[in-house]
Amino acid sequence: MEGISKETLQRLPTYLRLLKEMRQQGIMTVSSTTIADRLRLNPVQVRKDFAGVSSSAGKPKTGFETEELINDISDFLGYNDASQAIIVGAGKLGKALIGYSNFKSYGLEIIAAFDNNADKIPNDTHSIPIYAIEELPDFVKKTGVHIGIITVPKDEARKVCELLVTSGIRAIWNFAPVHLTVPDTVAIKNEDMAASLAVLSKRLSELLLED
Amino acid sequence: MEGISKETLQRLPTYLRLLKEMRQQGIMTVSSTTIADRLRLNPVQVRKDFAGVSSSAGKPKTGFETEELINDISDFLGYNDASQAIIVGAGKLGKALIGYSNFKSYGLEIIAAFDNNADKIPNDTHSIPIYAIEELPDFVKKTGVHIGIITVPKDEARKVCELLVTSGIRAIWNFAPVHLTVPDTVAIKNEDMAASLAVLSKRLSELLLED
DNA sequence: TAGATTGTTAATCGATTAACAATC
DNA sequence: TAGATTGTTAATCGATTAACAATC
């Protein structure tokens, strides 16, 4: 229960995707070796990760039941009971995330968007309402929503973050290119494209040197 | 030079942002303690990270020169000579990334987009051309572009990835919710929203339990 | 000088992996 | 039975942090 490291936690969604893919192919049972091969991981690591979240043991010689693993991991990640979230900033990135239908299968349901120019924004395609940002605090209080997603330009991000915190939001997913900090009573995940890009670029330049 | 861990590498862009912010405020010199406080890190870690990328030492009692650090980190990350990239998939997310003007300051220049329905896509706002996907291999060969960004729906991602690899792309930044694997001669970064969300959700539920 | 801050060495911590007995 | 695969203990590896002398 407690023994799950952050690293394990981050691998779980990847396992889940692969397992679902395998299930679709009619694969009923899968070994840690197979999974490790597909994901370029160590089989011992895979087994340890599974042991942390799944009560059902694997069988020597056969491996794990695909279906059981899918259930256990989904449960552990809370994919079966979605949490509600609001998003602030209905620009391109905001809309992309709103339209990203997969979120629901990841246990996240975006129920409303907020924007400075709520009235100017054509509410095409999307089924969720867009409100003026002034209505945010009341909305949060009324609905008790816990998660806020920030997709505003970087100059507004800090202000929006504060507003979310004072309104009672308890978890913030920040896509603006600023490092936001919050009180200890609030969880934050700074989604840092620049950091990802740095890793990729570095590997690329190593590869190019090898040629 | 080689001594840079992946973790350090990922922290560098964060340092850089903070340092630039400070420079704008006219702060000429900064201590590792100050930076650590702002970013919730350990000051020793900050100093070690700096030592890995910057030749200029800090001065006891005063700290580091903001400007020098900015230069050294920017150089190290290659932000001063942008790499060219192409993007495959000009849907909402693709357009959001294309329009994300900040990339250039991160050393990434997106020079063209490719899409199944290139002709149907209104090439609004954006200055880069959108081509049919069939033209991708020739384009890559002609321009020698190294980096490919995948923003197609998940069912097409694998196919697109293969196309990129066979066309000669050497680094792939994948935003589709699939775990892609590539030959060792190609660098890949699977941008995994589900993994980020898992970490955030877990912290949130821990917080809510504390209440 | 006294005090803040540096750079570095050593200790700690945690995650990954190797080794191996158990078992289907 | 023989062989593949499991779960777990111990060894390894690497990153973080504590301790501290050096110095502006």
Short mmCIF file of all heavy atoms in Angstrom, two decimals, chain A residues 31-32 44 47 57-58 60-61 64, chain D residues 2-10:
data_model
loop_
_atom_site.label_atom_id
_atom_site.label_comp_id
_atom_site.label_asym_id
_atom_site.label_seq_id
_atom_site.Cartn_x
_atom_site.Cartn_y
_atom_site.Cartn_z
N SER A 31 3.89 -13.05 -19.04
CA SER A 31 5.01 -13.16 -18.10
C SER A 31 5.73 -11.83 -17.93
O SER A 31 5.67 -10.96 -18.80
CB SER A 31 6.01 -14.21 -18.59
OG SER A 31 6.82 -13.66 -19.60
N SER A 32 6.42 -11.68 -16.82
CA SER A 32 7.15 -10.44 -16.57
C SER A 32 8.23 -10.22 -17.63
O SER A 32 8.55 -9.09 -17.98
CB SER A 32 7.76 -10.45 -15.18
OG SER A 32 8.64 -11.55 -15.03
N VAL A 44 12.64 -8.32 -13.23
CA VAL A 44 12.50 -8.29 -11.77
C VAL A 44 11.75 -7.04 -11.35
O VAL A 44 10.90 -7.07 -10.46
CB VAL A 44 13.87 -8.32 -11.08
CG1 VAL A 44 13.70 -8.29 -9.58
CG2 VAL A 44 14.66 -9.53 -11.50
N ARG A 47 8.07 -7.49 -11.93
CA ARG A 47 7.44 -8.32 -10.90
C ARG A 47 7.27 -7.55 -9.60
O ARG A 47 6.23 -7.63 -8.95
CB ARG A 47 8.29 -9.57 -10.65
CG ARG A 47 7.89 -10.72 -11.55
CD ARG A 47 8.82 -11.90 -11.35
NE ARG A 47 9.93 -11.85 -12.30
CZ ARG A 47 11.12 -12.36 -12.07
NH1 ARG A 47 11.38 -12.95 -10.91
NH2 ARG A 47 12.06 -12.29 -12.98
N ALA A 57 -1.11 -13.29 -7.12
CA ALA A 57 0.25 -13.68 -7.45
C ALA A 57 0.34 -14.24 -8.87
O ALA A 57 -0.65 -14.70 -9.43
CB ALA A 57 0.75 -14.72 -6.46
N GLY A 58 1.52 -14.17 -9.43
CA GLY A 58 1.75 -14.80 -10.71
C GLY A 58 2.01 -16.28 -10.50
O GLY A 58 2.40 -16.70 -9.42
N PRO A 60 4.25 -19.51 -11.44
CA PRO A 60 5.46 -19.97 -12.11
C PRO A 60 5.09 -20.68 -13.41
O PRO A 60 4.07 -21.35 -13.47
CB PRO A 60 6.07 -20.95 -11.11
CG PRO A 60 5.59 -20.47 -9.80
CD PRO A 60 4.24 -19.89 -10.03
N LYS A 61 5.91 -20.47 -14.38
CA LYS A 61 5.75 -21.10 -15.70
C LYS A 61 4.69 -20.43 -16.60
O LYS A 61 4.87 -20.39 -17.81
CB LYS A 61 5.44 -22.60 -15.54
CG LYS A 61 5.19 -23.33 -16.83
CD LYS A 61 6.36 -24.17 -17.20
CE LYS A 61 6.01 -24.96 -18.47
NZ LYS A 61 7.12 -25.53 -19.12
N PHE A 64 1.26 -14.06 -15.27
CA PHE A 64 0.14 -13.35 -14.63
C PHE A 64 -1.08 -13.37 -15.52
O PHE A 64 -0.97 -13.42 -16.75
CB PHE A 64 0.53 -11.89 -14.36
CG PHE A 64 1.72 -11.74 -13.46
CD1 PHE A 64 3.01 -11.87 -13.95
CD2 PHE A 64 1.56 -11.47 -12.10
CE1 PHE A 64 4.11 -11.72 -13.12
CE2 PHE A 64 2.66 -11.32 -11.26
CZ PHE A 64 3.94 -11.45 -11.78
P DA D 2 14.78 -34.68 -14.78
OP1 DA D 2 15.86 -35.35 -15.52
OP2 DA D 2 15.04 -34.07 -13.47
"O5'" DA D 2 14.15 -33.57 -15.75
"C5'" DA D 2 13.81 -33.89 -17.10
"C4'" DA D 2 13.53 -32.61 -17.85
"O4'" DA D 2 12.33 -32.02 -17.30
"C3'" DA D 2 14.61 -31.55 -17.70
"O3'" DA D 2 14.68 -30.80 -18.92
"C2'" DA D 2 14.15 -30.72 -16.51
"C1'" DA D 2 12.63 -30.77 -16.69
N9 DA D 2 11.88 -30.70 -15.45
C8 DA D 2 12.29 -31.03 -14.19
N7 DA D 2 11.37 -30.87 -13.27
C5 DA D 2 10.27 -30.40 -13.99
C6 DA D 2 8.97 -30.04 -13.60
N6 DA D 2 8.53 -30.09 -12.34
N1 DA D 2 8.12 -29.61 -14.55
C2 DA D 2 8.56 -29.57 -15.82
N3 DA D 2 9.77 -29.89 -16.32
C4 DA D 2 10.58 -30.30 -15.32
P DG D 3 15.56 -29.49 -19.00
OP1 DG D 3 16.19 -29.47 -20.34
OP2 DG D 3 16.38 -29.38 -17.78
"O5'" DG D 3 14.45 -28.35 -18.97
"C5'" DG D 3 13.29 -28.43 -19.80
"C4'" DG D 3 12.49 -27.16 -19.65
"O4'" DG D 3 11.78 -27.20 -18.39
"C3'" DG D 3 13.34 -25.91 -19.58
"O3'" DG D 3 12.58 -24.85 -20.12
"C2'" DG D 3 13.55 -25.71 -18.09
"C1'" DG D 3 12.18 -26.10 -17.58
N9 DG D 3 12.12 -26.52 -16.20
C8 DG D 3 13.13 -27.05 -15.43
N7 DG D 3 12.75 -27.32 -14.21
C5 DG D 3 11.40 -26.95 -14.18
C6 DG D 3 10.45 -27.01 -13.13
O6 DG D 3 10.62 -27.42 -11.99
N1 DG D 3 9.21 -26.52 -13.53
C2 DG D 3 8.92 -26.05 -14.78
N2 DG D 3 7.68 -25.62 -14.98
N3 DG D 3 9.80 -25.98 -15.77
C4 DG D 3 11.02 -26.45 -15.40
P DA D 4 13.27 -23.51 -20.59
OP1 DA D 4 13.52 -23.61 -22.04
OP2 DA D 4 14.37 -23.23 -19.65
"O5'" DA D 4 12.12 -22.43 -20.36
"C5'" DA D 4 10.76 -22.76 -20.62
"C4'" DA D 4 9.89 -22.09 -19.59
"O4'" DA D 4 10.10 -22.70 -18.32
"C3'" DA D 4 10.18 -20.60 -19.41
"O3'" DA D 4 8.95 -19.92 -19.58
"C2'" DA D 4 10.74 -20.48 -18.01
"C1'" DA D 4 10.18 -21.71 -17.32
N9 DA D 4 11.03 -22.28 -16.26
C8 DA D 4 12.36 -22.57 -16.34
N7 DA D 4 12.85 -23.09 -15.23
C5 DA D 4 11.76 -23.14 -14.37
C6 DA D 4 11.61 -23.59 -13.04
N6 DA D 4 12.62 -24.10 -12.32
N1 DA D 4 10.38 -23.50 -12.48
C2 DA D 4 9.37 -22.99 -13.20
N3 DA D 4 9.38 -22.54 -14.46
C4 DA D 4 10.62 -22.64 -14.99
P DT D 5 8.89 -18.35 -19.65
OP1 DT D 5 7.69 -18.01 -20.43
OP2 DT D 5 10.22 -17.82 -19.99
"O5'" DT D 5 8.62 -17.99 -18.13
"C5'" DT D 5 7.38 -18.36 -17.53
"C4'" DT D 5 7.48 -18.13 -16.06
"O4'" DT D 5 8.46 -19.03 -15.48
"C3'" DT D 5 7.95 -16.73 -15.66
"O3'" DT D 5 6.88 -16.04 -15.05
"C2'" DT D 5 9.10 -16.96 -14.71
"C1'" DT D 5 8.89 -18.42 -14.31
N1 DT D 5 10.14 -19.05 -13.84
C2 DT D 5 10.14 -19.65 -12.59
O2 DT D 5 9.15 -19.69 -11.88
N3 DT D 5 11.34 -20.17 -12.20
C4 DT D 5 12.52 -20.17 -12.91
O4 DT D 5 13.52 -20.68 -12.45
C5 DT D 5 12.46 -19.53 -14.20
C7 DT D 5 13.69 -19.46 -15.05
C6 DT D 5 11.29 -19.01 -14.61
P DT D 6 7.08 -14.57 -14.44
OP1 DT D 6 5.95 -13.79 -14.98
OP2 DT D 6 8.45 -14.10 -14.61
"O5'" DT D 6 6.83 -14.82 -12.90
"C5'" DT D 6 5.71 -15.60 -12.48
"C4'" DT D 6 5.94 -16.09 -11.06
"O4'" DT D 6 7.12 -16.93 -11.07
"C3'" DT D 6 6.22 -14.97 -10.08
"O3'" DT D 6 5.10 -14.77 -9.23
"C2'" DT D 6 7.44 -15.42 -9.28
"C1'" DT D 6 7.83 -16.74 -9.88
N1 DT D 6 9.28 -16.84 -10.20
C2 DT D 6 10.12 -17.49 -9.33
O2 DT D 6 9.72 -17.99 -8.28
N3 DT D 6 11.44 -17.54 -9.71
C4 DT D 6 11.99 -17.01 -10.86
O4 DT D 6 13.18 -17.12 -11.09
C5 DT D 6 11.07 -16.33 -11.73
C7 DT D 6 11.57 -15.72 -12.99
C6 DT D 6 9.78 -16.28 -11.37
P DG D 7 5.03 -13.39 -8.37
OP1 DG D 7 3.66 -13.25 -7.86
OP2 DG D 7 5.66 -12.32 -9.17
"O5'" DG D 7 6.01 -13.71 -7.14
"C5'" DG D 7 5.63 -14.68 -6.17
"C4'" DG D 7 6.63 -14.66 -5.04
"O4'" DG D 7 7.94 -15.03 -5.57
"C3'" DG D 7 6.81 -13.29 -4.39
"O3'" DG D 7 6.89 -13.50 -2.97
"C2'" DG D 7 8.11 -12.75 -5.00
"C1'" DG D 7 8.90 -14.02 -5.29
N9 DG D 7 9.79 -13.95 -6.44
C8 DG D 7 9.53 -13.37 -7.66
N7 DG D 7 10.52 -13.48 -8.52
C5 DG D 7 11.49 -14.20 -7.82
C6 DG D 7 12.79 -14.62 -8.23
O6 DG D 7 13.35 -14.46 -9.32
N1 DG D 7 13.44 -15.31 -7.21
C2 DG D 7 12.93 -15.56 -5.97
N2 DG D 7 13.70 -16.24 -5.12
N3 DG D 7 11.71 -15.16 -5.57
C4 DG D 7 11.06 -14.49 -6.55
P DT D 8 7.39 -12.37 -2.00
OP1 DT D 8 6.81 -12.65 -0.68
OP2 DT D 8 7.20 -11.05 -2.65
"O5'" DT D 8 8.96 -12.66 -1.92
"C5'" DT D 8 9.41 -13.85 -1.29
"C4'" DT D 8 10.89 -13.69 -0.97
"O4'" DT D 8 11.65 -13.69 -2.21
"C3'" DT D 8 11.25 -12.38 -0.27
"O3'" DT D 8 12.36 -12.64 0.59
"C2'" DT D 8 11.69 -11.50 -1.41
"C1'" DT D 8 12.45 -12.53 -2.24
N1 DT D 8 12.68 -12.17 -3.66
C2 DT D 8 13.82 -12.66 -4.26
O2 DT D 8 14.63 -13.37 -3.69
N3 DT D 8 13.98 -12.29 -5.57
C4 DT D 8 13.13 -11.50 -6.32
O4 DT D 8 13.38 -11.23 -7.49
C5 DT D 8 11.95 -11.01 -5.62
C7 DT D 8 10.98 -10.13 -6.33
C6 DT D 8 11.79 -11.37 -4.34
P DT D 9 12.70 -11.71 1.79
OP1 DT D 9 11.62 -11.80 2.79
OP2 DT D 9 13.05 -10.39 1.20
"O5'" DT D 9 14.02 -12.39 2.38
"C5'" DT D 9 14.59 -13.55 1.76
"C4'" DT D 9 16.00 -13.24 1.29
"O4'" DT D 9 15.99 -12.82 -0.10
"C3'" DT D 9 16.71 -12.11 2.06
"O3'" DT D 9 17.99 -12.57 2.49
"C2'" DT D 9 16.80 -10.97 1.07
"C1'" DT D 9 16.86 -11.73 -0.25
N1 DT D 9 16.40 -10.96 -1.44
C2 DT D 9 17.11 -11.06 -2.62
O2 DT D 9 18.10 -11.76 -2.74
N3 DT D 9 16.62 -10.33 -3.65
C4 DT D 9 15.50 -9.51 -3.65
O4 DT D 9 15.16 -8.91 -4.66
C5 DT D 9 14.80 -9.44 -2.39
C7 DT D 9 13.58 -8.57 -2.27
C6 DT D 9 15.28 -10.15 -1.36
P DA D 10 19.03 -11.56 3.12
OP1 DA D 10 19.77 -12.34 4.12
OP2 DA D 10 18.34 -10.30 3.49
"O5'" DA D 10 20.00 -11.24 1.91
"C5'" DA D 10 20.57 -12.30 1.15
"C4'" DA D 10 21.58 -11.70 0.18
"O4'" DA D 10 20.85 -11.00 -0.85
"C3'" DA D 10 22.51 -10.68 0.81
"O3'" DA D 10 23.81 -10.86 0.24
"C2'" DA D 10 21.88 -9.33 0.46
"C1'" DA D 10 21.27 -9.64 -0.91
N9 DA D 10 20.09 -8.84 -1.27
C8 DA D 10 19.07 -8.42 -0.46
N7 DA D 10 18.15 -7.72 -1.09
C5 DA D 10 18.59 -7.69 -2.41
C6 DA D 10 18.07 -7.11 -3.58
N6 DA D 10 16.92 -6.42 -3.61
N1 DA D 10 18.75 -7.26 -4.72
C2 DA D 10 19.91 -7.95 -4.68
N3 DA D 10 20.50 -8.54 -3.65
C4 DA D 10 19.79 -8.37 -2.53
#
